[in-house]
Amino acid sequence: MRVGLIVDSACDLPYEFRRKHDLFILPVTAVIDGQTYVDTHDPVRTQEFYQSGLLQKGHHAETRAFTTEQIYSLFMEQIVTQFDIAICETVTRSRSQIFQNATEAMNAVMANYEQARAAAGRTGKFSMRVIDSKQIFAGQGLLAAHTLRLIGQKLSKNALRHEVETFTDRIYTCVIPRDLHYIRERARRRGDKSVSALVAFLGKALNITPVLFGQGAEGQPVAKTRSFEVAVEKVMNYATARVEAGLLTPYVSLSCGLTWTEIEDLPGLNRLRDACERHGVELLLSQMGITSSLYIGPGSLCLALAAEPHAFGDFQ
């Protein structure tokens, strides 16, 4: 019985990891300066975006979820015909329409899959589940990596679904936004008022770089620093200490809206690498995808891991 895992373009994972595990990417449409791009997480295209400057805040940009009809077509053509069981993990439903559209598409697929499946020469029933990851970016990537680990354990489909849905509440995420003004403008266009104009102004005027920390997408400021480098150092200190204390899954997911040269120069990255290697943890280091970079702004950073309940300050 073949089990397939689907994630959307907001999920940040290393390209080689996605290719090795045959992850199916549900694209997101990006509209930048009136030009439409489909984000399929192609590493060459992503690098071109970083080098071209298209992701900078001066460009009017937004992301759009694939419609129910578009997702339905993808599921029917590429999922029903290849897998017996499919799990689709989407970016948190509180920030995107993807979960809703994918759920509607799944319902239509389940009512109409038999003919397409028979034409592809696949026998037996098809089962599918759409799961709200409750995560963003690196957090979604961590959940996908853990799900693949569970799939490898050959759990029943009900046990697999239960384990994945339970695990979403055990993921902790750190986000360092490079530019609060960028986030506020993007949030304003989406109708999200969670980032106030005052916070954005103070961040710019006083050169404050915050560290946001919490479970899933519900992060709160836990540190205010005077530079991006100091904020990164705090996050690396946290992650290194948390790895040494123990994790619930042997992965740390880290995505950065930077060039690879800048990523390699991040303070504390090598210490985190060493800690992961000593404790048998895989560091899933990736360049932030187009979708996530547009959402949070170029130059930002997102780190996720899974652990028992704790506070950011416990590991400083």
Side-chain angles (χ1 to χ4, degrees):
M1 187 169 291
R2 192 163 185 230
V3 182
L5 179 59
I6 307 157
V7 296
D8 58 56
S9 293
C11 178
D12 285 334
L13 278 170
Y15 172 72
E16 289 300 329
F17 184 89
R18 296 197 313 269
R19 189 174 70 170
K20 174 184 176 182
H21 295 283
D22 196 24
L23 276 183
F24 182 86
I25 305 297
L26 182 61
V28 171
T29 300
V31 182
I32 306 174
D33 288 347
Q35 186 74 31
T36 299
Y37 305 87
V38 177
D39 182 11
T40 59
H41 266 217
D42 176 82
V44 176
R45 170 56 67 90
T46 301
Q47 185 63 26
E48 288 173 352
F49 266 69
Y50 278 95
Q51 293 175 342
S52 69
L54 280 171
L55 297 177
Q56 298 304 314
K57 65 180 180 180
H59 294 269
H60 180 81
E62 62 179 328
T63 56
R64 299 173 183 168
F66 262 33
T67 65
T68 298
E69 293 74 18
Q70 287 175 306
I71 297 174
Y72 172 81
S73 295
L74 286 173
F75 285 173
M76 289 292 283
E77 294 169 7
Q78 301 184 48
I79 302 302
V80 166
T81 57
Q82 294 187 45
F83 302 103
D84 303 303
I85 299 173
I87 296 176
C88 177
E89 296 174 353
T90 73
V91 65
T92 176
R93 66 194 302 179
S94 65
R95 307 289 175 86
S96 172
Q97 188 69 24
I98 297 174
F99 173 82
Q100 182 64 35
N101 292 356
T103 299
E104 292 174 1
M106 176 197 68
N107 291 335
V109 165
M110 294 307 296
N112 297 286
Y113 71 79
E114 288 91 347
Q115 187 174 349
R117 191 166 171 81
R122 298 202 71 88
T123 59
K125 292 185 178 295
F126 173 76
S127 176
M128 188 172 192
R129 183 78 173 186
V130 176
I131 295 175
D132 175 10
S133 74
K134 303 179 186 177
Q135 310 296 321
I136 54 173
F137 320 146
Q140 196 181 350
L142 185 79
L143 179 63
H146 183 68
T147 301
L148 290 167
R149 184 177 174 85
L150 294 173
I151 290 172
Q153 295 173 7
K154 301 190 183 303
L155 302 179
S156 70
K157 68 176 183 181
N158 289 334
L160 177 60
R161 183 189 71 190
H162 174 75
E163 289 293 329
V164 171
E165 291 178 338
T166 301
F167 193 77
T168 59
D169 295 323
R170 299 177 178 179
I171 297 174
Y172 289 82
T173 303
C174 299
V175 175
I176 304 176
R178 197 63 172 265
D179 188 333
L180 291 176
H181 276 278
Y182 182 102
I183 293 179
R184 183 172 68 89
E185 286 303 304
R186 292 292 178 266
R188 181 180 61 81
R189 289 174 187 152
R190 296 191 305 271
D192 181 354
K193 299 179 180 179
S194 60
V195 182
S196 72
L198 177 61
V199 169
F201 171 77
L202 289 175
K204 186 70 171 181
L206 302 179
N207 193 31
I208 290 174
T209 301
V211 175
L212 309 179
F213 172 80
Q215 289 176 280
E218 306 306 317
Q220 299 294 326
V222 291
K224 295 180 180 179
T225 67
R226 292 305 180 105
S227 74
F228 178 73
E229 288 71 21
V230 173
V232 171
E233 190 82 47
K234 285 183 174 293
V235 169
M236 295 298 179
N237 288 343
Y238 157 77
T240 299
R242 186 63 260 193
V243 166
E244 292 171 345
L247 302 176
L248 295 178
T249 194
Y251 303 103
V252 171
S253 180
L254 174 59
S255 66
C256 311
L258 303 163
T259 66
W260 279 109
T261 299
E262 292 169 325
I263 291 172
E264 289 300 329
D265 288 339
L266 288 172
L269 176 60
N270 286 332
R271 281 190 293 106
L272 176 58
R273 276 187 171 132
D274 291 343
C276 287
E277 185 174 348
R278 289 197 307 273
H279 293 274
V281 173
E282 184 174 357
L283 178 60
L284 301 171
L285 178 61
S286 66
Q287 194 172 48
M288 197 171 277
I290 295 169
T291 300
S292 42
S293 188
L294 283 177
Y295 187 97
I296 197 171
S300 300
L301 179 148
C302 184
L303 179 143
L305 50 78
E308 298 293 350
H310 64 280
F312 183 82
D314 295 339
F315 294 91
Q316 288 297 303

